[in-house]
Amino acid sequence: MTDDPRNLASAYMHFAKFGAEARFNLASSGVLGCDLADLGLSWSDLALHGANTGGYGPLTQRIAARFGVDPACVVAPGGGASFVNHLALAALIAPGDDVLLETPTYPLIADMLGYLQAKVRRFERRVEDAWALDPDRIAAAITPATRLVALTDLHNPSSAPAGDSAVAAIAEAAAEVGATLFIDEVYRELAFGDGPPRTAFREDGNVVVTSSLTKAYGLSGLRCGWILAPKPLAERMRRLNDLYGVHPPHIAERMAVVAFDRLPALRARADALLNANRAAYAELLGRHPKLAQTLFGAGTTVFPRLLSGEDSEAFFERLRRDYDTSLVPGGYFGAALHGRIGLGGEIEQTRSGLERVAAALDAA
């Protein structure tokens, strides 16, 4: 077997699938999974087979209408946000391309860039700046060789919002060297409230975004992810997807159409969970003397820094062993003194888990 220069594994995803199990699981970053009853499905909504070559028309139309874009700019290949991130990145860069990536960030994006053999450089989102983007620092890091700038909004792991003006300035700096700005917007669905949905994508711009129904609405089983890209790039992604598969499961596409029609009710369900859990976090851990943190009004996660002198991997092991509770060690995000705590779970379970985190901190 010859040496393979690609990154062929994701330590984070392996942890998320197999390493976070505990009675009180605070490692999950999504809203608690829905039941079929939450969708109000009827038999007429479902079918095993249908016309979905290149994308299911009604689903593409729902996504396009939600964000006010041309359906030709929508790529919805199935597979959830993880897959659409992979598809978009694979279409945007070639081996050896210079990519500027935020840190800390969602580990799977970095792992995918390693698989695609990008030359990755980093720019910091700093805890002392409340994880805010610094457009001037990013612009200074962009070079004529830069092909892509990549970030998340809401920021994963902290839930910090990117801000429209900061994103616009970064997109402009990238455009000056012919680079694309890639944004994983999967958590931005949590920031709309009762207002209209928003996206950084513009049909005539240099921004490509991805998102899904998974994190904000508890619909991971549908694997409904999408890309918004300028038409030539969107077509390139559709053609590249011919290498990866044929058709998504059609029954899931049809269920996703129903979900788009039920988003207000699904949002109300998510808000009830997140508001209660965010209040519990503020009460139990928001002022804990062994944590440094910024809390935001939207998002499913918080990313506190441990002040006990214990790194988050050691804290995680002790928390799971002694308190049957899990979180995500910050080392996966490149911040070993931090831990990511999810707030999208069942209310009583989440509160109990947070109480155990507080007890573990007090015992340190």
Side-chain angles (χ1 to χ4, degrees), residues 28 32 83 129 219-220 307:
S28 175
L32 181 70
F83 179 70
D129 299 330
L219 293 168
S220 62
L307 300 179

Side-chain angles (χ1 to χ4, degrees), residues 2-363:
T2 59
D3 291 337
D4 193 322
R6 298 172 298 171
N7 173 49
L8 295 176
S10 171
Y12 166 77
M13 189 54 67
H14 189 79
F15 167 84
K17 290 178 178 178
F18 306 110
E21 185 175 349
R23 180 182 177 189
F24 302 98
N25 185 346
L26 301 178
S28 175
S29 61
V31 168
L32 181 70
C34 287
D35 293 325
L36 282 174
D38 293 310
L39 291 179
L41 289 160
S42 66
W43 285 112
S44 63
D45 293 319
L46 304 178
L48 282 176
H49 311 287
N52 66 342
T53 301
Y56 181 46
L59 179 56
T60 300
Q61 292 288 343
R62 293 298 197 287
I63 298 167
R66 180 163 176 75
F67 296 102
V69 303
D70 191 318
C73 297
V74 177
V75 184
S82 294
F83 179 70
V84 295
N85 280 349
H86 179 101
L87 179 62
L89 292 170
L92 289 169
I93 63 169
D97 276 356
D98 185 278
V99 175
L100 194 56
L101 175 66
E102 67 182 2
T103 187
T105 196
Y106 178 45
L108 195 54
I109 293 178
D111 294 337
M112 289 173 186
L113 291 171
Y115 174 77
L116 296 168
Q117 301 180 66
K119 178 184 175 184
V120 177
R121 296 183 296 114
R122 300 284 190 146
F123 65 88
E124 284 188 285
R125 297 181 72 154
R126 297 174 176 171
V127 63
E128 55 265 33
D129 299 330
W131 305 111
L133 291 167
D134 184 334
D136 292 335
R137 186 187 308 138
I138 297 166
I142 293 173
T143 75
T146 303
R147 299 275 58 82
L148 190 75
V149 180
L151 55 91
T152 56
D153 182 24
L154 303 176
H155 181 222
N156 184 2
S158 74
S159 294
D164 292 341
S165 61
V167 168
I170 296 164
E172 182 178 354
E176 290 179 0
V177 298
T180 299
L181 175 58
F182 168 84
I183 310 176
D184 178 339
E185 288 189 340
V186 70
Y187 293 99
R188 197 173 188 190
E189 283 284 330
L190 293 156
F192 303 149
D194 295 326
R198 301 185 302 279
T199 177
F201 173 71
R202 301 292 179 270
E203 294 181 25
D204 59 351
N206 66 322
V207 179
V208 169
V209 308
T210 59
S211 192
S212 83
L213 293 178
T214 294
K215 298 298 183 180
Y217 302 108
L219 293 168
S220 62
L222 298 186
R223 312 312 301 152
C224 178
W226 61 87
I227 306 165
L228 304 182
K231 293 176 187 177
L233 277 174
E235 180 60 19
R236 183 176 183 180
M237 292 169 190
R238 282 187 282 270
R239 294 298 300 272
L240 178 59
N241 192 47
D242 291 341
L243 295 174
Y244 295 146
V246 183
H247 304 303
H250 185 57
I251 194 169
E253 292 177 312
R254 284 181 172 263
M255 292 170 74
V257 169
V258 173
F260 270 100
D261 294 338
R262 306 285 198 278
L263 285 187
L266 293 171
R267 174 174 297 284
R269 172 186 178 272
D271 285 346
L273 291 168
L274 289 166
N275 290 342
N277 291 340
R278 194 173 290 113
Y281 186 95
E283 173 193 341
L284 296 167
L285 293 171
R287 296 180 181 275
H288 199 284
K290 292 184 180 178
L291 295 178
Q293 59 195 327
T294 300
L295 304 180
F296 299 97
T300 64
T301 60
V302 291
F303 197 54
R305 182 169 61 192
L306 300 175
L307 300 179
S308 62
E310 189 177 23
D311 71 36
S312 58
E313 182 66 41
F315 182 74
F316 165 78
E317 294 295 344
R318 186 166 60 83
L319 182 67
R320 190 166 66 163
R321 181 188 68 240
D322 298 343
Y323 299 89
D324 207 2
T325 301
S326 64
L327 49 70
V328 184
Y332 287 110
F333 304 89
L337 295 181
H338 291 257
R340 193 187 71 181
I341 297 174
L343 300 179
E346 193 275 330
I347 291 171
E348 291 304 319
Q349 283 285 105
T350 299
R351 184 178 184 88
S352 294
L354 295 174
E355 289 172 344
R356 284 159 172 78
V357 172
L361 289 168
D362 291 340

